[in-house]
Amino acid sequence: MKEITLLVCLCLSIGCFSQERKTLDAKSFNAEMVQLGKKMNAELISVKFKKEIFKDINSSVIIESSSGQIIRGKGLEYKMVNPGMISFQTRNLNVVVDSLERIVIISNVDSTLQQVTQLQQIPADALKGYKLEKIVFPTYYILRAEPENASIGIMEFYVHTQSTELYKLNMFYPPGNYFSESMEDESVESPYLTIIFEPMKKLKETANLISLENILEKTATGEYLLSPKMVGFQLKDSRYKSPK
């Protein structure tokens, strides 16, 4: 009886890790990416993420680690927080606050944009020469794009089956000398980047979260000046200005 019970438990455990691999064409792969994009580009959401870079897929040594956050407002409005840098976008202005270089850069919003497009579909021509797969597990699935050309990296998108939200992104870089510490260092590594996304949070409003009030002040003539709270920063206005 013990042997039968053990066998049943073993079969159940194997079933939990069962997977189904499906080969996709470019159209089907893009259809999956569009659905992911709709989630990532939804209005009034916040998602935190953690980014880690490993020296090699077989290594547990973390070369770089950081955390950040994406806040989506309405329309084109968003805020992205990364270590040392915060990016804002309003209806008509892009603002980057670079704390390392102590500079604030403002520029125009691309007038052709109708919405923020993260994880938008990839041109079909760009997917030529890729092996595209959907690997299905009981609670999640992986969209995998592996190029035939070994000098190009592999991408993997991990998606929760129930929520259809992206919760992990892996990028495997091709072999190369990425971490050379001297001219004599000719070691070859195959690093990979992984980004873990926390579950998305729905927001009621984002006016205070995406506010530029403490960064910029607008004069009566329409010019922008740095807020008094930005002492020590320089302002660079890279907006296009038509000649008078």
Side-chain angles (χ1 to χ4, degrees):
M1 181 63 69
K2 289 183 178 180
E3 288 79 1
I4 295 176
T5 303
L6 179 62
L7 181 60
V8 170
C9 291
L10 180 61
C11 289
L12 288 174
S13 64
I14 293 174
C16 291
F17 293 99
S18 63
Q19 59 174 277
E20 179 186 1
R21 303 183 79 99
K22 302 177 181 179
T23 300
L24 303 179
D25 57 19
K27 183 178 180 180
S28 299
F29 189 85
N30 264 329
E32 297 279 357
M33 294 299 295
V34 167
Q35 292 304 311
L36 276 184
K38 287 181 179 179
K39 285 284 185 177
M40 293 296 291
N41 298 321
E43 295 185 343
L44 300 175
I45 61 165
S46 171
V47 58
K48 294 182 178 180
F49 60 88
K50 183 176 182 180
K51 179 170 62 177
E52 294 179 333
I53 299 178
F54 294 82
K55 188 172 184 179
D56 190 89
I57 190 172
N58 297 316
S59 172
S60 59
V61 178
I62 300 175
I63 302 299
E64 181 181 324
S65 179
S66 62
S67 299
Q69 184 179 18
I70 301 170
I71 298 173
R72 281 279 290 112
K74 293 183 178 180
L76 297 176
E77 296 178 347
Y78 76 84
K79 175 182 178 181
M80 182 177 291
V81 181
N82 282 292
M85 185 174 293
I86 304 177
S87 301
F88 297 85
Q89 182 166 283
T90 64
R91 287 177 296 175
N92 53 17
L93 202 65
N94 276 313
V95 179
V96 176
V97 181
D98 188 334
S99 298
L100 298 178
E101 298 294 330
R102 309 293 287 178
I103 189 171
V104 176
I105 304 171
I106 61 177
S107 58
N108 290 319
V109 174
D110 186 345
S111 60
T112 64
L113 286 177
Q114 299 299 316
Q115 63 177 356
V116 178
T117 52
Q118 301 179 80
L119 294 178
Q120 59 186 334
Q121 68 175 4
I122 305 169
D125 288 346
L127 291 174
K128 288 182 178 180
Y130 275 82
K131 179 182 179 182
L132 306 172
E133 289 185 300
K134 182 176 183 179
I135 307 168
V136 182
F137 293 85
T139 59
Y140 69 97
Y141 60 89
I142 305 170
L143 298 174
R144 192 170 195 271
E146 180 178 357
E148 295 175 358
N149 185 345
S151 64
I152 304 175
I154 300 171
M155 297 180 293
E156 291 181 341
F157 303 86
Y158 286 67
V159 186
H160 282 296
T161 302
Q162 186 172 359
S163 67
T164 65
E165 288 184 11
L166 178 70
Y167 74 89
K168 183 166 72 170
L169 168 63
N170 285 342
M171 294 186 66
F172 301 89
Y173 293 89
N177 184 220
Y178 293 92
F179 310 110
S180 59
E181 298 180 357
S182 66
M183 295 293 292
E184 293 77 24
D185 185 358
E186 297 182 356
S187 59
V188 176
E189 302 88 17
S190 298
Y192 79 97
L193 162 70
T194 182
I195 304 177
I196 306 294
F197 297 90
E198 293 185 7
M200 293 181 183
K201 293 183 178 180
K202 191 67 178 175
L203 304 173
K204 292 183 178 180
E205 58 88 24
T206 58
N208 294 330
L209 298 175
I210 311 181
S211 173
L212 298 173
E213 181 180 352
N214 295 326
I215 300 171
L216 295 174
E217 293 183 352
K218 193 173 184 179
T219 67
T221 59
E223 297 297 315
Y224 284 99
L225 301 175
L226 288 177
S227 162
K229 293 186 178 182
M230 301 302 292
V231 175
F233 279 77
Q234 291 183 322
L235 177 63
K236 179 180 179 181
D237 190 344
S238 60
R239 291 175 298 164
Y240 173 77
K241 298 179 181 178
S242 57
K244 295 182 180 181

